[in-house]
Amino acid sequence: MTLTLDAIDRHILRVLQRGGRISNVELAREVGLSPSPCLRRVRLLEEAGIIDRYVAVLDPTKVGAGLTVFARVCFRTQDAEVTLRFAEAVRRFPEVMECYLTTGECDAVLRIVTADLHSYWRFQADHLTRIPSVLSVKTDVPMETLKRSYELPLR
Amino acid sequence: MTLTLDAIDRHILRVLQRGGRISNVELAREVGLSPSPCLRRVRLLEEAGIIDRYVAVLDPTKVGAGLTVFARVCFRTQDAEVTLRFAEAVRRFPEVMECYLTTGECDAVLRIVTADLHSYWRFQADHLTRIPSVLSVKTDVPMETLKRSYELPLR
DNA sequence: CAGAATATTGGCATATCATGCCAAACTTTC
DNA sequence: GAAAGTTTGGCATGATATGCCAATATTCTG
């Protein structure tokens, strides 16, 4: 399995990051190949796990998920048991899109999606702060979106 | 144009958020329709902008984008000119995946993707803090990923 | 540098799929 | 309860995906 991506591979990835449902015929034309080798490359990228999956991107404001909030959480203690239980709880909440453990001032950062500010406060009060591991939550509330991208930068 | 989603529409959206390249035949089977009305519904959801686009999701660790950092930025001043220039700068950086203006302690929060910690510090020192609008940057550095989802919660 | 081994490509054949159209079934409205 | 409007399912057609094979390009080796 070749894990070194050449220029054509990166071109394929760039195109597929912009439009995941492009037909293989058109993709091949864009990257300058005929359909057969193009499809083979895509399959290899999929099998290597470089292409993880294809998804439909919904308009958050139109499906009642218009507010994105970044929350910083401090735990009561930092032991493995507390962390594990926090992870399990977080994975059950569909509102939590991303969650990372951090070092420094806080123990975890989350990207949380809800309909609006009211829904967020309810989620924080009813669910997030009720996870036993959680000591405190700090948030910065977004007022306006300056940028939202779905393309990872390809060096 | 019907903007009220019924159960079938939400089912379609759920399936497409998990697999954006599923064939219409299989999608129809999963939601309990025949292919024709199923495709019609998908097209309507696309035209309404509820489905914004389809994208390939890449494995960040395999394309040199393994580190996600949330940064909080304070501006020198809060006037419109400073904000506008910040927005333009941020949109030019492919590393900046998301950027929101906030009220409260900081003026903006960013989700930034780079290869590793070294690349991030270089990005922050060479680019982010050199935007004239930027006074200071605070970050929490993630050590471990607990959750990463691409599905907006559908009420 | 030559020759062989390997990997990659392009074209073709076939099965699957997308998509427009129309009649039938269902829902809503008055 | 009848009529208008909406949604559905099936069919036909054109486009697409995909496996296979020969030809080409690339890399390795002596």
Side-chain angles (χ1 to χ4, degrees):
Chain A
M1 167 57 54
T2 162
L3 261 174
T4 54
L5 304 176
D6 65 12
I8 298 180
D9 289 321
R10 283 193 297 273
H11 198 170
I12 288 175
L13 292 178
R14 254 188 298 273
V15 172
L16 287 179
Q17 279 199 109
R18 290 189 162 86
R21 228 173 174 177
I22 187 176
S23 79
N24 181 60
V25 174
E26 195 178 347
L27 175 62
R29 200 150 24 80
E30 285 210 40
V31 304
L33 281 180
S34 73
S36 289
C38 183
L39 185 65
R40 166 193 293 273
R41 278 171 182 263
V42 171
R43 291 288 173 269
L44 285 175
L45 290 168
E46 289 168 358
E47 281 158 25
I50 293 169
I51 297 176
D52 179 44
R53 61 210 298 193
Y54 300 88
V55 303
V57 176
L58 310 187
D59 183 330
T61 64
K62 291 181 177 163
V63 294
L67 183 70
T68 295
V69 173
F70 297 105
R72 306 193 297 285
V73 168
C74 293
F75 295 160
R76 295 190 183 283
T77 67
Q78 272 90 2
D79 60 281
E81 175 67 14
V82 160
T83 302
L84 188 66
R85 300 196 54 181
F86 179 76
E88 285 170 359
V90 145
R91 277 192 265 265
R92 271 198 304 272
F93 296 132
E95 294 92 341
V96 176
M97 300 285 288
E98 294 178 66
C99 179
Y100 305 93
L101 295 180
T102 63
T103 167
E105 198 185 323
C106 293
D107 298 304
V109 292
L110 295 83
R111 185 161 71 92
I112 299 169
V113 166
T114 61
D116 49 36
L117 203 47
H118 178 255
S119 305
Y120 175 73
W121 288 129
R122 219 174 36 200
F123 173 76
Q124 179 173 319
D126 293 353
H127 296 110
L128 194 54
T129 60
R130 286 198 186 164
I131 302 173
S133 323
V134 170
L135 175 64
S136 68
V137 178
K138 291 180 184 177
T139 61
D140 295 290
V141 178
M143 302 302 291
E144 195 180 332
T145 303
L146 291 188
K147 179 174 183 177
R148 190 192 306 260
S149 168
Y150 303 100
E151 292 175 50
L152 290 180
L154 297 179
R155 38 161 187 175
Chain B
M1 167 56 55
T2 161
L3 262 174
T4 54
L5 304 176
D6 64 12
I8 298 179
D9 288 321
R10 284 193 295 274
H11 198 171
I12 288 175
L13 292 178
R14 255 188 298 274
V15 173
L16 286 180
Q17 279 198 110
R18 291 189 162 85
R21 228 171 173 177
I22 185 177
S23 81
N24 180 60
V25 173
E26 195 179 345
L27 175 62
R29 200 152 22 81
E30 284 211 39
V31 303
L33 282 179
S34 72
S36 290
C38 182
L39 185 65
R40 166 194 296 272
R41 279 171 181 264
V42 172
R43 291 288 173 268
L44 286 175
L45 291 168
E46 289 168 357
E47 281 158 25
I50 293 169
I51 297 176
D52 178 44
R53 61 210 297 195
Y54 300 88
V55 303
V57 176
L58 309 188
D59 183 330
T61 65
K62 290 181 178 163
V63 294
L67 183 70
T68 295
V69 172
F70 297 105
R72 306 193 297 285
V73 168
C74 293
F75 296 160
R76 295 191 183 282
T77 67
Q78 272 90 4
D79 60 281
E81 175 67 15
V82 159
T83 302
L84 188 66
R85 299 196 54 181
F86 179 76
E88 285 170 359
V90 144
R91 277 191 267 264
R92 272 198 303 273
F93 296 133
E95 294 92 341
V96 177
M97 300 284 290
E98 293 179 66
C99 179
Y100 305 93
L101 295 180
T102 63
T103 168
E105 197 186 324
C106 293
D107 298 304
V109 292
L110 295 83
R111 185 161 70 92
I112 299 169
V113 165
T114 60
D116 48 36
L117 203 47
H118 178 255
S119 306
Y120 176 73
W121 288 129
R122 220 172 38 199
F123 173 77
Q124 178 172 321
D126 293 353
H127 297 110
L128 193 56
T129 59
R130 287 196 185 165
I131 302 173
S133 324
V134 171
L135 174 66
S136 66
V137 179
K138 291 180 185 177
T139 62
D140 295 292
V141 178
M143 302 302 292
E144 195 180 333
T145 303
L146 289 188
K147 178 174 184 176
R148 189 192 309 259
S149 167
Y150 304 99
E151 293 176 50
L152 290 179
L154 296 179
R155 46 185 168 152

